[in-house]
Amino acid sequence: MAKRQPSRRPPNFLIYRGQSFRAEWYYTTDGEMPALDYYNNLPAVDQERLDDMIQYFCDRPFGVILPTSMYKIEDPENKIYAFRPRNERFFNFAAEGAVVVITNAYHKHSQQMTKMDLGKLALAAKYREDYLQRVKEATYYGHPEN
């Protein structure tokens, strides 16, 4: 198997460092950040709502559960959750070191997830696997000191 090249890490993928958790935007090997791109195209009111939710989530003590209207597991098998500001869904997962990685997002279309929404959820699971593999290979955050 060919050795993976280090990722082109974007300059600022950290969203917020709270008392209990740190939130980050996931970035691809090309340095793209799908969730941040989606976020940047939202109206300010939706951006502020997500910012508030992330800050609340990261500052809450361990063990305090958020209401499902704000944060809900969407894929128990792959451990994918969603922040739920208004009609937007920001998929994410928890990683070692009390890190919450926000992968991608979509606009909610109906009460039930549509085929397109399920595709976005599958993409979040793919991004999670990519993140875990790149962290294991020390290519996500950089190479370990020798």
Side-chain angles (χ1 to χ4, degrees), residues 17-142:
R17 185 181 308 274
Q19 295 176 14
S20 300
F21 294 92
R22 180 177 79 231
E24 300 177 355
W25 300 114
Y26 164 81
Y27 68 91
T28 67
T29 55
D30 294 331
E32 301 294 320
M33 293 187 280
L36 177 59
D37 291 343
Y38 186 90
Y39 171 90
N40 285 335
N41 287 309
L42 290 175
V45 66
D46 291 325
Q47 289 181 356
E48 290 168 10
R49 176 83 171 130
L50 180 64
D51 293 345
D52 290 345
M53 292 173 92
I54 290 171
Q55 183 175 353
Y56 181 75
F57 180 92
C58 291
D59 284 339
R60 71 178 170 62
F62 286 105
V64 173
I65 299 171
L66 273 66
T68 57
S69 61
M70 292 176 63
Y71 192 72
K72 181 180 174 189
I73 190 153
E74 297 289 346
D75 180 351
E77 182 179 333
N78 291 301
K79 300 176 184 146
I80 303 295
Y81 291 79
F83 284 110
R84 305 170 71 168
R86 295 178 12 128
N87 289 325
E88 311 309 322
R89 299 296 180 260
F90 283 83
F91 292 126
N92 62 86
F93 61 90
E96 190 172 324
V99 177
V100 175
V101 181
I102 301 176
T103 57
N104 58 326
Y106 76 98
H107 181 84
K108 178 183 170 190
H109 296 95
S110 66
Q111 288 293 87
Q112 297 294 319
M113 290 183 91
T114 66
K115 188 174 184 178
M116 185 172 68
D117 301 340
L118 291 169
K120 297 286 187 180
L121 180 58
L123 186 59
K126 178 183 168 196
Y127 287 157
R128 179 181 178 270
E129 289 305 313
D130 176 65
Y131 169 89
L132 294 172
Q133 184 63 38
R134 287 166 49 205
V135 166
K136 182 178 177 182
E137 295 170 346
T139 59
Y140 193 84
Y141 292 109

